[in-house]
Amino acid sequence: MGENVGREIELTVDRIAHGGIAVGRLDGRVVFVSDAIPGETVRARVSDDRKKSFWRADTVAVLEASEHRREHVWAAASLDRDPRGRVGGAEFGHIALAHQRELKRQVLAEALQRQAGLGPDDLPNPLAVDALPGDTAANGLGWRTRIRLHVDPQGRLGPMASRSHTVIPVTDAPLATPAVQAAIPFAERFTGLGTLDVLAPTVGEPRLVIGEQKPSVIREVVGEREFQLDDTGFWQVHRAAPVALTAAVQEAIDPTVFDPRADNLDLYGGVGLLAAAVADRFGPATRITSVESDERATDHASENLAEWVGASAETGRVDRWLRTLDSGASEADRARLRAATVVLDPPRSGAGGEVMQLLGRLAPAQLVYVACDPVALARDVALAAEHGYRLVGIRGLDLFPHTHHVEAVATLVRT
């Protein structure tokens, strides 16, 4: 800890950075400032000065407020609290909802320009980040169907403070759906436990998952379809996200390029949500293989995709699975792969160099890339360009209101 930690400074912030932190300068040094909005002048307290090139600081007072500033939607994260006692998980909660989406659009566009070398004319016009149904009317509240809370030494529940492992006890969770909020046992004590997950599936009652509890099977309804999965497994958090992503992926696929008889792939496929979206869009004869490293998720995907004769699910790490596919593919296999559409929904770190290189070697006709991290997406768009792929469409979705996170669905076509 340096001599400047705890020092209060005044500065004007001028843009938002990846990660949702505002950026300003003090005597030529970059300062990343939490709880500020571009255009504001704030007084901030330095929290980290270990790097010579930049400091981190937390807003403690707003001297000149943005027109987009609002009272924070979660009192436990508001400016009247000491920065060390503000909950994480709602870092945009002090910003008007429409402006949150504009800031996310800027971050997405900047990442594609800086990381992928795309100019303004290479991006869709307009590039937008769209709200999900119901969010505007609800002011971005009540959307989380799942929430993980941590347990402090006294057994009280709460999220962690931003960039900290300190648990902040709370008595409300305004981003959660009413069913989840009602199920959270705020008044109880859970001494000796690390985490408590609360979820409200679309079928059945809300439930608690305590610590490393053994998984049980739940069901989620998406449109007219039902999916089975573990209550401890991955599922989209926003109540409307599965329907929105299903539609976005269906729309992102160029039907003039899609071949239902090709060896189409759904990589990082989870329990088969997006593979089902593809098969629903292009009919019962569609061939598609979903690849997922979690064996239990793959088992569920096999059940969820059972009605499509050409659909299957395989367990494997995507990089290793593609490597095996590439090494053993016959000329006939390669022809079916060159005609294929590949949907990929990697974790926050993105697909990365080896996966993008293997996809470049296999040369499918189009890639539909679902991303929750703009910088990882932009890096992989640049890697795909090295193998002849061009970004022909991208759409942002605001699956995480009042946070900096943004989802994007991009289409890349081999030229």
Side-chain angles (χ1 to χ4, degrees):
M1 185 179 293
E3 61 183 12
N4 292 289
V5 171
R7 171 186 168 190
E8 293 195 357
I9 57 177
E10 292 185 10
L11 75 168
T12 299
V13 297
D14 55 17
R15 68 181 184 89
I16 207 78
H18 176 56
I21 305 296
V23 183
R25 287 184 179 273
L26 180 71
D27 300 327
R29 177 184 283 105
V30 171
V31 184
F32 294 106
V33 186
S34 66
D35 298 316
I37 305 172
E40 289 188 329
T41 300
V42 301
R43 186 165 72 249
R45 185 177 301 147
V46 176
S47 59
D48 188 345
D49 66 350
R50 289 174 293 179
K51 301 286 188 180
K52 290 184 178 180
S53 56
F54 69 85
W55 289 350
R56 293 187 181 275
D58 300 300
T59 299
V60 293
V62 179
L63 306 180
E64 294 181 22
S66 164
E67 62 181 307
H68 305 294
R69 179 169 284 276
R70 300 290 184 269
E71 182 178 352
H72 205 291
V73 297
W74 197 355
S78 64
L79 282 185
D80 59 7
R81 286 192 167 211
D82 184 278
R84 294 167 295 183
R86 297 173 193 164
V87 298
E91 62 277 3
F92 273 8
H94 59 289
I95 307 174
L97 200 57
H99 194 58
Q100 292 180 31
R101 295 194 287 271
E102 167 57 19
L103 294 175
K104 295 177 187 187
R105 185 202 66 79
Q106 292 175 15
V107 169
L108 181 56
E110 182 177 323
L112 290 166
Q113 290 167 352
R114 288 192 173 191
Q115 302 289 121
L118 300 178
D121 294 339
D122 299 317
L123 300 177
N125 185 19
L127 174 63
V129 173
D130 298 326
L132 268 59
D135 278 352
T136 299
N139 190 32
L141 303 177
W143 54 267
R144 291 192 69 103
T145 61
R146 286 151 171 75
I147 188 168
R148 168 162 287 187
L149 297 170
H150 299 267
V151 180
D152 79 352
Q154 287 74 49
R156 299 172 297 181
L157 295 174
M160 290 183 179
S162 180
R163 290 185 288 109
S164 168
H165 294 293
T166 302
V167 178
I168 308 297
V170 296
T171 57
D172 67 343
L175 302 191
T177 64
V180 169
Q181 284 230 51
I184 299 173
F186 288 115
E188 296 184 26
R189 294 293 177 264
F190 293 86
T191 305
L193 294 177
T195 61
L196 176 74
D197 293 326
V198 185
L199 61 150
T202 48
V203 178
E205 295 299 316
R207 61 179 58 204
L208 308 182
V209 178
I210 301 172
E212 300 300 319
Q213 182 176 316
K214 184 179 178 180
S216 58
V217 177
I218 59 173
R219 297 188 177 274
E220 295 280 1
V221 174
V222 182
E224 297 180 355
R225 299 213 166 274
E226 193 171 276
F227 293 81
Q228 69 175 47
L229 64 148
D230 287 351
D231 56 2
T232 57
F234 174 78
W235 187 251
Q236 291 293 333
V237 173
H238 193 294
R239 54 179 170 69
V243 170
L245 282 175
T246 293
V249 166
Q250 290 172 337
E251 293 166 7
I253 297 172
D254 184 343
T256 66
V257 177
F258 187 84
D259 181 353
R261 297 162 299 179
D263 283 347
N264 302 297
L265 300 175
D266 170 32
L267 304 180
Y268 313 93
V271 297
L273 174 69
L274 300 184
V278 176
D280 260 344
R281 169 71 176 82
F282 293 99
T286 301
R287 293 180 57 173
I288 187 164
T289 301
S290 183
V291 182
E292 165 62 45
S293 62
D294 184 318
E295 186 174 359
R296 286 187 61 90
T298 306
D299 290 343
H300 292 313
S302 295
E303 293 293 326
N304 295 333
L305 300 172
E307 73 177 77
W308 292 285
V309 176
S312 62
E314 297 191 16
T315 303
R317 257 183 49 173
V318 168
D319 54 350
R320 294 174 182 170
W321 192 91
L322 288 176
R323 201 181 310 136
T324 300
L325 178 66
D326 180 46
S327 64
S330 66
E331 281 306 312
D333 293 334
R334 292 189 179 279
R336 287 192 298 271
L337 286 162
R338 285 193 295 272
T341 292
V342 175
V343 176
L344 59 161
D345 183 9
R348 193 168 305 284
S349 56
E354 184 174 6
V355 169
M356 297 309 295
Q357 183 178 31
L358 286 163
L359 287 173
R361 283 175 53 83
L362 297 169
Q366 64 181 325
L367 307 174
V368 175
Y369 193 129
V370 181
C372 57
D373 186 284
V375 170
L377 169 64
R379 178 204 64 208
D380 289 347
V381 166
L383 291 171
E386 296 175 5
H387 297 279
Y389 287 90
R390 181 171 61 91
L391 181 70
V392 296
I394 185 167
R395 177 187 177 194
L397 295 170
D398 192 13
L399 301 193
F400 312 96
H402 298 302
T403 82
H404 74 274
H405 298 293
V406 60
E407 200 89 354
V409 180
T411 304
L412 299 102
V413 173
R414 192 179 72 235
T415 56

